[in-house]
Amino acid sequence: MADDEKREQMEVGSGDVDINDKKPDKMFGLKKWNLVAMWSWDVECDTCAICRVQVMDTCLRCQAENKQQECVVVWGECNHSFHNCCMSLWLKQNNRCPLCQQEWALQTTGK
Amino acid sequence: MATNHSRKRKGSGNNHRPSKKCAVEKEDIVDVMTDSERKPNFSSLSGPNGVNRNHASPLVANKPVSTRKLIIKNFKDKPKLPENYQQQTWDKLKEAVIAIHKSTSIKSSLEELYQAVENMCSHKMAPLLYEQLRVLCDEHVKSNVSQFLADSVNSPLYLKQMNTCWQAHCQQMIMIRSIFLFLDRTYVLQNSSMPSIWDMGLELFRVHIISNRSVQNRTVVGLLLLIESERNGEAVDRSLLKSLLRMLSDLQIYHEVFEVQFLEATNQLYRTEGQQLMQERDVPEYLMHVDKRLNEETERLLHYLDQSTKKALITCVEHQLLGDHLSSILQKGFDNLMEANRTSDLTLMYQLFSRVKNGLHELCAGFSSYVKKRGRAIVINPEKDKTMVQELLDFKEKLDTIVSDCFQNNEKFILALKDSFEYFINQRLNNSRALAKFVDSKLRAGNKEATEEELERLLDKIMVIFRFIHGKDVFEAFYKRILQRDFCRKSASVDAEKSMLSKLKQECGGGFTSKLEGMFKDMELSRDINIAFKQHLQNISSPDNIDLTVNILTMGYWPTYVPVEVHMPPEMVSYQEIFKKFYLAKHSGRKLQWQPTLGHCVLKASFSAGAKELQVSLFQTLTLLLFNGTEELALEDIAHQTGIEDTELRRTLQSLACGKARVIQKVPRGKDVEDGDKFVFNNEFKNKYFRIKINQIQMKETAEEQISTQERVFQDRQYQIDAAIVRIMKTRKTLSHTLLVSELYEQLKFPVKPGDLKKRIESLIDRDYMERDKDNSNMYKYVA
Ligand SMILES: [Zn+2]
Ligand SMILES: [Zn+2]
Ligand SMILES: [Zn+2]
């Protein structure tokens, strides 16, 4: 918020003052750290070549059915990756990777 | 009064004129004759109550019942009369009539006179009697006209004179009729072409007095003058007006002689008045005047005008004072009334406008354009973003009150309000952003500022405004960004957020909020991960005693920031690595991207005055940690050692050295961080609090961030369109282009151009989600 700019908030301390005289050269010590990270599928190509939606987004069929959480990614031995749902449909017709035409061999499924 | 003009009135229906006696007599007649039989020919009467049947009945003679008895008498008294009986009797009656005309006393008793009339009728002298009476009255009425032909009398006096003459005439005719009642009931009733004695009197008055051109003219002009002076505010003799106008009605010349001229005069008066007052008065005054005029004219109708004039008169006033000025009234005063919230004036305006053709239509249009104009002024100015939402809420509330209190909750107005709101609110894309920020500030203030119910009510109101926004996804995007910041700082009121989420879900359906739900899911999952990670740390030998918590966000749900890399102290890096290993071991196929921009820390700090705890961002942390063991650092040193991007770093240093809590000092002093500035630890730092939060100085959202938010929005829209098409086609299997498009418009929560939909459909055909029908290119088929 713009009106937050430059405004400092002071909060009353809990009172447990401990003066650390042993390390006079260390003025600042890290007590607590809130680390933020974003996860994504470890893929070479962001887009699923079958449905052409980004792999981090749910494939179109799962979007239509509101099954966001279940739509994971699969990797083949060829290192190409797709939505698991898209690949399983694809495999019913064709046992080759849609990108490199190698025979499809499952390397791993994301979770 | 429908009977007013009926030619064959029996002196009924006029309260002021016929005596009570007359009214009673009339009831006697009604005993036998219904209205439709008022002029029966006795000989032809038949049916259940027919006189003929009574006539034949032998019992009739013993029945002392009204008229029936009278007729039978005709037969009983087969009389033998003296030769001069007729002349003598007539003389007696004539003398009485003349006495009535002259208002002198009658010599014979009334009983005697009734009997005389009855006898003459019984002896078939009725036609003669009637004719003689007519001639006598004729002469008298004729003689009365002379007094109205003199020039000298002024108008008010003239009217009074006329009224006196008319009243006298009525009085006389009532008395005459009561004497000649038997004649009226028997002879006259048998002849449908013959006017009753009362009507004959009216006829004579009409022919001899009022049909005189000069008399008529002077009377009508006098009446109009009197009304005009009343309209000008003078007190006039209303009973005189009433009596004379009733006279004209009774004489059946009210319409052609008076009403036409009266309406013409009224028309002219109000035409001039309307034009003049529209110039001179402001709108509330003018409306008040119109209202006053309408009330006055209604009073006039109540007091003396004939009811038949009502419609034409009121329409005339409405037309001249309102109908012709609708748009000028609106242009001149409507916005001011709305602006000043003049509810009573607006109520009056609504009431008046609803009386005339197109009035409400115009008023509604004016209302609509006011809402658009005023609303646009609220939303269009980016300077006012901070107050905009509150202003909108207030504005909406005010309009709602006006619609319900002043415009009687008229549906047209409700709809106009909705449409206009929708129109102006979508004049600027950024409204969603301001709305999101407003929601956020209210949610963060949470229970501090308002009770839970108050907060709920406020959220409901916000949803009302939200409903008008077309680009709901834009709102969502900004809301997400705000949620993210709060999540990473643990300052969100989770309950309130969830309540907002459920409201959004209600409003827009699950598809819209699915990503927000994903965000909430991430928050919950992060909690579990932290618990598991803490256990994990106990199992391995952890390097230092830092309390590490982690927020893991799913890419795609959350707004993304441009990834940055910073240099951290080795112990922090190793902590980060421990977590990464732990996490990736649990989740295969994933990768992590650190978000230093969102990280924050708690630092222990030792100043000469005592220890403090500082709540700071990760960037602030990295900067401060450099001061351990170093007296002084130059801007360039810090940049080099932390790797924080230049503007970001300057902001960070500013917050630490130039804000309220200056834990380091800048050399030289100054508000801004310049090249070559040096920084030293502020050992003398004092603060009455133990825990101190030092806010990062936030730039307004950078243009780049805004653009990336918008880009993401547009990409999301494409997916949403695609998903909706797939969803529809999956249920319908085959569907025409038109139907598909119309279903899409129903489902999508943001504005879309038909061309864009077409592109998405083409793209889905390319990708084999659907195909065109081979025979009809306007039909699509779902491909399973
Ligand atoms: Zn896919
Ligand atoms: Zn899927
Ligand atoms: Zn491949």
Side-chain angles (χ1 to χ4, degrees):
Chain A
M1 303 262 96
D3 54 350
D4 273 351
E5 279 169 36
K6 294 196 181 181
R7 201 213 296 154
E8 270 84 5
Q9 289 175 359
M10 312 290 179
E11 290 175 273
V12 182
S14 62
D16 58 327
V17 183
D18 61 326
I19 300 164
N20 205 339
D21 281 330
K22 286 177 185 173
K23 292 175 184 171
D25 59 334
K26 191 176 175 185
M27 300 90 141
F28 298 105
L30 184 61
K31 187 185 174 194
K32 233 180 130 175
W33 179 17
N34 196 62
L35 177 65
V36 183
M38 214 167 257
W39 78 265
S40 56
W41 299 115
D42 189 12
V43 290
E44 279 179 8
C45 174
D46 283 344
T47 309
C48 167
I50 302 170
C51 67
R52 288 180 235 180
V53 169
Q54 296 202 347
V55 285
M56 275 315 287
D57 283 310
T58 315
C59 75
L60 278 183
R61 286 188 172 83
C62 288
Q63 268 185 46
E65 281 159 37
N66 233 336
K67 290 199 298 194
Q68 275 83 346
Q69 309 292 336
E70 295 155 45
C71 197
V72 295
V73 174
V74 282
W75 287 262
E77 289 294 351
C78 60
N79 246 343
H80 290 131
S81 49
F82 312 92
H83 288 117
N84 196 13
C85 336
C86 298
M87 197 59 204
S88 24
L89 273 175
W90 178 268
L91 288 175
K92 283 180 187 165
Q93 295 173 332
N94 187 340
N95 201 25
R96 292 179 182 280
C97 169
L99 286 176
C100 62
Q101 298 301 315
Q102 286 182 42
E103 191 151 325
W104 180 258
L106 180 72
Q107 185 192 82
T108 176
T109 310
K111 63 170 185 177
Chain B
M1 244 182 287
T3 57
N4 251 3
H5 294 173
S6 111
R7 266 183 71 83
K8 289 295 165 187
R9 50 189 309 144
K10 297 292 171 191
S12 67
N14 283 309
N15 301 334
H16 71 295
R17 189 168 6 79
S19 67
K20 274 181 189 157
K21 193 177 163 209
C22 225
V24 171
E25 286 160 0
K26 193 206 161 204
E27 264 151 38
D28 286 348
I29 296 168
V30 169
D31 213 22
V32 188
M33 291 170 283
T34 62
D35 278 353
S36 58
E37 301 167 327
R38 193 164 277 183
K39 269 269 150 169
N41 184 340
F42 280 160
S43 58
S44 69
L45 250 185
S46 60
N49 291 326
V51 176
N52 287 345
R53 218 172 53 176
N54 286 337
H55 174 90
S57 164
L59 295 172
V60 158
N62 304 328
K63 277 194 170 179
V65 185
S66 66
T67 342
R68 299 167 194 173
K69 186 179 81 183
L70 296 174
I71 297 163
I72 290 157
K73 270 186 180 174
N74 288 347
F75 292 81
K76 265 205 315 205
D77 304 331
K78 257 302 176 216
K80 294 170 184 71
L81 293 172
E83 298 251 317
N84 58 350
Y85 176 79
Q86 183 190 318
Q87 190 55 47
Q88 276 175 358
T89 317
W90 168 243
D91 285 346
K92 202 188 316 179
L93 288 169
K94 180 180 179 184
E95 187 245 294
V97 171
I98 289 170
I100 289 170
H101 282 153
K102 290 186 172 161
S103 299
T104 54
S105 58
I106 306 168
K107 282 178 188 154
S108 322
S109 77
L110 283 176
E111 190 53 43
E112 214 177 312
L113 295 170
Y114 298 149
Q115 196 59 54
V117 172
E118 195 177 326
N119 287 342
M120 283 187 78
C121 290
S122 307
H123 292 90
K124 301 188 173 166
M125 295 170 201
L128 186 68
L129 183 59
Y130 184 85
E131 183 52 24
Q132 280 170 323
L133 177 63
R134 203 192 66 78
V135 170
L136 195 56
C137 291
D138 185 274
E139 277 164 8
H140 171 68
V141 175
K142 203 188 254 173
S143 72
N144 268 338
V145 77
S146 58
Q147 59 179 311
F148 299 109
L149 298 174
D151 273 343
S152 55
V153 191
N154 69 16
S155 171
L157 212 62
Y158 190 84
L159 291 183
K160 272 188 191 144
Q161 203 174 318
M162 175 59 73
N163 191 40
T164 313
C165 173
W166 164 248
Q167 293 292 348
H169 172 81
C170 293
Q171 213 51 50
Q172 290 159 8
M173 286 314 294
I174 286 165
M175 287 177 72
I176 291 168
R177 180 180 177 267
S178 75
I179 291 170
F180 290 85
L181 188 63
F182 193 85
L183 177 70
D184 218 11
R185 283 185 179 176
T186 54
Y187 172 68
V188 174
L189 281 180
Q190 290 179 54
N191 294 280
S192 56
S193 61
M194 190 160 289
S196 70
I197 294 169
W198 175 256
D199 286 338
M200 173 194 77
L202 292 180
E203 180 72 40
L204 294 174
F205 198 89
R206 179 168 46 235
V207 169
H208 294 309
I209 308 226
I210 222 68
S211 291
N212 180 298
R213 215 162 245 273
S214 137
V215 174
Q216 186 182 93
N217 198 36
R218 286 181 74 179
T219 308
V220 170
V221 167
L223 287 168
L224 292 175
L225 275 174
L226 206 54
I227 294 175
E228 192 183 316
S229 59
E230 190 187 43
R231 277 171 173 165
N232 288 336
E234 286 163 43
V236 298
D237 184 352
R238 283 183 161 182
S239 60
L240 177 65
L241 278 166
K242 179 178 182 166
S243 172
L244 289 175
L245 289 172
R246 182 56 61 76
M247 170 186 85
L248 297 180
S249 294
D250 286 350
L251 299 175
Q252 299 180 47
I253 50 172
Y254 176 85
H255 175 72
E256 64 266 32
V257 164
F258 171 77
E259 193 187 33
V260 174
Q261 286 193 61
F262 168 72
L263 288 175
E264 181 48 40
T266 307
N267 220 21
Q268 246 165 33
L269 170 76
Y270 288 129
R271 185 184 302 130
T272 322
E273 183 170 293
Q275 281 160 0
Q276 191 189 338
L277 295 188
M278 268 307 290
Q279 300 283 322
E280 288 171 6
R281 302 202 178 173
D282 69 16
V283 167
E285 279 176 341
Y286 183 78
L287 293 176
M288 235 107 94
H289 179 79
V290 175
D291 190 45
K292 193 184 102 195
R293 281 304 200 197
L294 283 164
N295 287 333
E296 284 172 6
E297 295 304 337
T298 311
E299 282 242 304
R300 235 151 251 151
L301 283 161
L302 224 57
H303 283 103
Y304 53 80
L305 292 172
D306 193 90
Q307 289 302 305
S308 61
T309 310
K310 182 172 182 174
K311 193 161 180 273
L313 173 62
I314 297 299
T315 309
C316 161
V317 181
E318 287 168 350
H319 177 74
Q320 294 299 352
L321 291 185
L322 286 170
D324 273 7
H325 304 287
L326 288 179
S327 53
S328 340
I329 292 175
L330 287 172
Q331 262 172 26
K332 200 173 154 190
F334 182 71
D335 286 9
N336 297 341
L337 295 186
M338 289 297 295
E339 207 54 28
N341 210 10
R342 300 267 292 262
T343 45
S344 58
D345 292 327
L346 288 166
T347 309
L348 179 60
M349 187 182 272
Y350 179 87
Q351 282 165 359
L352 291 176
F353 273 49
S354 66
R355 306 177 72 124
V356 293
K357 195 178 163 227
N358 267 336
L360 285 189
H361 180 77
E362 297 253 335
L363 183 60
C364 191
F367 176 66
S368 179
S369 87
Y370 167 77
V371 175
K372 282 180 189 167
K373 197 163 51 184
R374 182 74 185 77
R376 202 181 131 85
I378 296 176
V379 300
I380 210 70
N381 185 358
E383 308 264 299
K384 285 171 77 184
D385 273 6
K386 261 187 262 171
T387 52
M388 180 190 91
V389 179
Q390 190 58 52
E391 269 187 62
L392 281 179
L393 290 175
D394 296 346
F395 186 47
K396 179 71 177 30
E397 196 167 326
K398 173 179 155 179
L399 294 173
D400 283 342
T401 314
I402 287 176
V403 168
S404 85
D405 294 1
C406 309
F407 302 155
Q408 296 177 10
N409 263 332
N410 184 319
E411 268 184 40
K412 261 193 191 168
F413 285 74
I414 294 176
L415 196 71
L417 174 55
K418 185 181 156 285
D419 288 349
S420 315
F421 237 82
E422 195 169 324
Y423 169 82
F424 78 69
I425 236 170
N426 289 296
Q427 293 270 300
R428 216 182 100 208
L429 192 63
N430 263 2
N431 290 332
S432 331
R433 195 155 150 266
L435 189 60
K437 287 196 169 187
F438 182 81
V439 169
D440 165 64
S441 75
K442 291 295 171 190
L443 293 179
R444 274 208 301 164
N447 299 343
K448 271 180 250 162
E449 266 182 17
T451 66
E452 216 139 287
E453 295 93 72
E454 280 169 343
L455 195 63
E456 279 291 315
R457 233 174 300 139
L458 182 73
L459 290 183
D460 282 338
K461 281 189 196 166
I462 292 170
M463 292 314 295
V464 171
I465 291 191
F466 176 75
R467 242 169 249 158
F468 296 126
I469 291 183
H470 288 153
K472 295 184 179 170
D473 45 347
V474 180
F475 170 84
E476 187 206 17
F478 287 112
Y479 186 63
K480 268 159 59 179
R481 193 178 279 278
I482 289 158
L483 197 61
Q484 175 177 41
R485 198 190 59 192
D486 287 348
F487 168 46
C488 297
R489 290 189 194 168
K490 298 251 172 347
S491 58
S493 153
V494 176
D495 287 348
E497 298 276 10
K498 285 217 161 154
S499 149
M500 186 69 195
L501 184 67
S502 77
K503 284 185 201 308
L504 287 173
K505 203 169 174 180
Q506 263 175 26
E507 198 60 48
C508 306
F512 175 68
T513 49
S514 65
K515 291 206 170 156
L516 285 175
E517 278 177 65
M519 292 170 80
F520 279 100
K521 192 114 193 175
D522 275 354
M523 295 183 195
E524 277 160 31
L525 287 174
S526 289
R527 224 169 289 154
D528 300 343
I529 291 166
N530 274 311
I531 294 167
F533 182 57
K534 289 223 163 89
Q535 275 173 351
H536 174 74
L537 281 181
Q538 283 170 359
N539 298 339
I540 59 163
S541 53
S542 53
D544 212 337
N545 204 16
I546 305 173
D547 179 4
L548 179 68
T549 51
V550 187
N551 293 323
I552 300 296
L553 317 179
T554 304
M555 180 109 50
Y557 291 165
W558 299 80
T560 44
Y561 288 89
V562 186
V564 293
E565 272 203 40
V566 291
H567 311 316
M568 296 193 295
E571 68 266 26
M572 288 178 84
V573 174
S574 70
Y575 248 110
Q576 203 169 264
E577 285 308 308
I578 292 170
F579 175 77
K580 189 174 179 178
K581 247 192 210 158
F582 162 80
Y583 182 82
L584 294 182
K586 288 196 117 188
H587 296 282
S588 58
R590 298 191 182 189
K591 65 181 177 193
L592 286 178
Q593 190 185 75
W594 307 114
Q595 302 284 316
T597 328
L598 294 167
H600 59 101
C601 303
V602 175
L603 286 182
K604 287 197 265 185
S606 314
F607 301 100
S608 64
K612 299 284 179 195
E613 267 189 27
L614 307 178
Q615 290 182 32
V616 283
S617 72
L618 180 67
F619 291 158
Q620 288 169 327
T621 304
L622 297 180
T623 308
L624 291 178
L625 286 176
L626 292 182
F627 285 87
N628 285 335
T630 317
E631 263 311 301
E632 189 186 81
L633 286 164
L635 169 67
E636 292 71 20
D637 299 333
I638 303 171
H640 178 71
Q641 291 186 49
T642 60
I644 300 172
E645 183 264 333
D646 185 59
T647 40
E648 191 71 56
L649 179 61
R650 282 171 201 255
R651 263 189 275 160
T652 305
L653 285 165
Q654 208 178 9
S655 70
L656 296 169
C658 313
K660 273 188 198 153
R662 302 182 178 182
V663 292
I664 54 173
Q665 283 173 327
K666 187 173 89 78
V667 186
R669 286 164 174 274
K671 258 172 69 186
D672 293 311
V673 176
E674 311 287 351
D675 290 350
D677 281 354
K678 297 198 165 48
F679 297 88
V680 292
F681 173 63
N682 179 13
N683 200 27
E684 306 309 313
F685 177 78
K686 282 194 182 69
N687 197 301
K688 60 175 171 173
Y689 299 109
F690 174 67
R691 270 194 201 117
I692 300 156
K693 186 174 175 186
I694 305 176
N695 277 3
Q696 181 84 305
I697 292 172
Q698 283 190 4
M699 295 293 285
K700 291 204 171 122
E701 214 169 346
T702 61
E704 201 178 312
E705 275 172 346
Q706 268 196 45
I707 289 165
S708 86
T709 304
Q710 310 254 329
E711 266 174 9
R712 181 74 201 165
V713 164
F714 290 121
Q715 189 165 31
D716 273 356
R717 282 184 179 179
Q718 296 210 332
Y719 294 154
Q720 284 192 46
I721 297 172
D722 288 357
I725 295 172
V726 171
R727 191 163 52 231
I728 294 166
M729 290 309 298
K730 195 169 178 181
T731 8
R732 297 302 177 98
K733 305 297 181 223
T734 31
L735 203 60
S736 74
H737 179 78
T738 328
L739 283 176
L740 175 59
V741 168
S742 79
E743 279 207 38
L744 280 172
Y745 275 118
E746 255 170 55
Q747 290 197 11
L748 296 171
K749 303 289 179 185
F750 47 84
V752 209
K753 292 191 201 106
D756 293 342
L757 290 183
K758 217 164 181 178
K759 271 186 212 150
R760 298 322 302 162
I761 293 171
E762 291 300 336
S763 154
L764 287 167
I765 292 173
D766 274 359
R767 288 180 274 161
D768 293 332
Y769 279 93
M770 50 201 273
E771 61 187 15
R772 266 182 226 285
D773 192 298
K774 284 179 199 83
D775 305 320
N776 181 354
S777 67
N778 272 326
M779 290 296 285
Y780 302 120
K781 276 162 55 183
Y782 180 69
V783 180

